Amino acid sequence: FGVPQYGAKLVGEVVMDASNIKACELFSEPAPKAKGPGHGSVFLVERGDCFFLEKAWHAQLAGANAVLVVDNVEEDLLTMANPTA
């Protein structure tokens, strides 16, 4: 999160919290964390029920370095837009 470090890389592990899989609520402690030394936490969350912005914000507050949003519904491609636009 934040200003991109061009030319840099993120080494991380994909983690998830089955009790908050859609990330529409704040993550409870302990939030999922990467186990490898120096690895970032990449939160895996499902699409739906709230804005992408909320999902990313909740993950960031829980210590995520990145978020992967997954979707298993076949539909037209959508844009992750600002919910107030």
Side-chain angles (χ1 to χ4, degrees):
F1 291 102
V3 177
Q5 302 295 317
Y6 293 102
K9 60 184 173 185
L10 170 67
V11 175
E13 297 173 33
V14 177
V15 297
M16 64 171 272
D17 180 351
S19 67
N20 189 15
I21 191 63
K22 293 200 175 181
C24 292
E25 304 293 329
L26 291 173
F27 287 89
S28 58
E29 291 296 326
K33 300 281 186 232
K35 294 182 179 18
H39 289 186
S41 296
V42 180
F43 280 35
L44 180 71
V45 301
E46 287 183 358
R47 180 176 169 240
D49 295 348
C50 63
F51 293 114
F52 292 105
L53 180 70
E54 291 174 86
K55 295 173 185 299
W57 179 241
H58 293 153
Q60 185 177 8
L61 289 175
N65 299 96
V67 176
L68 292 175
V69 180
V70 297
D71 185 6
N72 65 351
V73 178
E74 189 174 328
E75 59 192 342
D76 292 336
L77 185 64
L78 64 107
T79 302
M80 289 189 228
N82 181 340
T84 60

